[in-house]
Amino acid sequence: MSVHRDSQLDMFAKASPAMAEARGPSRRRPSPPAVRSDEDMARALEESGNYRILRKLAARPVAAARRPGFSRFGVILDTETTGLNHRSDEIIEIGAVAFTFNDDGAVGDVVGIYGGLQQPSRPIPPDITRLTGITDVMVEGQTIDMPSLNALIEPADLIIAHNAGFDRPFCEAFSPIFAGKAWACSVSEIDWSARGFEGTKLGYLVGQAGYFHGGHRAVDDCHALLEILDRQQGDGESPFAELYRASQRCRVRIFAEHSPFEMKDHLKARGYRWSDGSDGRLKSWWIEVGEDDLGDELSYLRSEIYRWREADPPLVRLTAFDRFKA
């Protein structure tokens, strides 16, 4: 029996670590969890395939000096207004971000920022306050600082707006400093669908690019648009380079004046829009095409709409200095 007891004691003395752990708690302290950065955690979530992370857009700082090699001067501009009609509604906020770029469409540095509120002559409609967050209290006594704004606009080679057809008429009605400037539209002059985007609203573009920002305030929207325009995708050109090239091309507006009434549905289906003449244009259906597409469009009108080979609809050639005017 004594031999048996000694054997048992010897067996437990030589127990494996697993058996020892089962017999009682370890005296070793647990290791503290590793500290992970926000980016590490975001990357881990993305790599799981179960999450899509949006990162907050950070505004670029104003550069202390302009770098050589970026001789062009651009301004991204956004307005908030009391409504949609530039003849009766008013600007209540203007935001502008000035930046440098070169002839190849490469963006340099941010060199100026302006944001200002303006008290309108009438109270801000409730739906505009819901959309923009701008209240009557915020704009009370506020006026746009025209010298500061002019310091950015006057040297600009190009003004960019996300829907220039809306912003340009409001700006030109607001101040003559915008007259005679070249404008570009980051909605209509960039093929966003070819870049994989499902919409053209700024919120869609920002979200699909993997970011979020404080939208519907003018300066915030300008900063966000700059980041999207300067976003490189693979080996192709940036959206801004595409936009700059488009702004340098001439466009042609064709007016299908005196077209037969029964052809209106055909024109509408092809992309023509109706002008009632109230804005100074001809009262007719019209479309805007590139110079390269002018011949095909005239052939369509002559063969399918007028059915007369000698038809000569009015044409207006437009550059960036003329486009997007009221």
Side-chain angles (χ1 to χ4, degrees), residues 29 36 64 70 120 122 139 147 154 171 173 199 246 294 315 320 323 326:
R29 294 181 180 180
R36 306 181 72 182
F70 297 93
R122 299 186 300 277
V139 299
E154 194 279 328
C171 287
L294 176 58
L315 308 176
R323 293 196 73 199

Side-chain angles (χ1 to χ4, degrees), residues 191-207:
D191 189 348
W192 292 109
S193 62
R195 294 176 176 275
F197 290 91
E198 297 173 1
T200 59
K201 288 186 177 181
L202 184 58
Y204 292 157
L205 300 177
V206 171

Side-chain angles (χ1 to χ4, degrees), residues 76-276:
I76 294 176
L77 184 139
D78 185 51
T79 63
E80 302 296 346
T81 68
T82 58
L84 302 177
N85 190 330
H86 72 277
R87 293 184 177 87
S88 57
D89 294 309
E90 302 170 70
I91 287 176
I92 54 176
E93 184 179 31
I94 288 181
V97 173
F99 64 97
T100 58
F101 66 96
N102 63 22
D103 289 335
D104 295 325
V107 173
D109 302 297
V110 169
V111 293
I113 299 170
Y114 176 76
L117 295 167
Q118 175 93 5
Q119 181 177 1
S121 59
R122 299 186 300 277
I124 299 172
D127 58 329
I128 297 299
T129 294
R130 283 194 295 271
L131 178 67
T132 65
I134 301 174
T135 67
D136 289 316
V137 173
M138 291 169 61
V139 299
E140 186 175 358
Q142 298 289 325
T143 57
I144 301 293
D145 183 347
M146 294 310 297
S148 295
L149 183 59
N150 187 59
L152 300 186
I153 301 301
E154 194 279 328
D157 296 296
L158 188 66
I159 298 176
I160 302 103
H162 202 64
N163 191 2
F166 175 84
D167 291 288
R168 182 169 190 170
F170 269 100
C171 287
E172 293 193 344
F174 179 72
S175 172
I177 69 173
F178 297 99
K181 286 296 179 182
W183 284 69
C185 178
S186 52
V187 172
S188 64
E189 295 185 288
I190 297 173
D191 189 348
W192 292 109
S193 62
R195 294 176 176 275
F197 290 91
E198 297 173 1
T200 59
K201 288 186 177 181
L202 184 58
Y204 292 157
L205 300 177
V206 171
Q208 284 194 257
Y211 298 99
F212 70 93
H213 79 299
H216 286 303
R217 290 305 303 270
V219 171
D220 292 334
D221 283 353
C222 291
H223 282 299
L225 182 55
L226 177 60
E227 295 307 314
I228 300 304
L229 290 177
D230 195 30
R231 183 171 178 260
Q232 197 67 37
Q233 293 175 276
D235 297 329
E237 65 181 358
S238 69
F240 178 72
E242 179 183 349
L243 177 64
Y244 182 50
R245 281 195 302 103
S247 73
Q248 294 174 297
R249 292 194 293 263
C250 180
R251 304 277 293 177
V252 183
R253 190 168 291 167
I254 307 171
F255 293 90
E257 191 178 26
H258 306 309
S259 57
F261 177 79
E262 62 270 20
M263 292 296 173
K264 64 181 180 66
D265 291 336
H266 295 275
L267 290 167
K268 186 176 181 180
R270 191 171 173 89
Y272 281 73
R273 288 177 280 180
W274 174 251
S275 170
D276 61 7

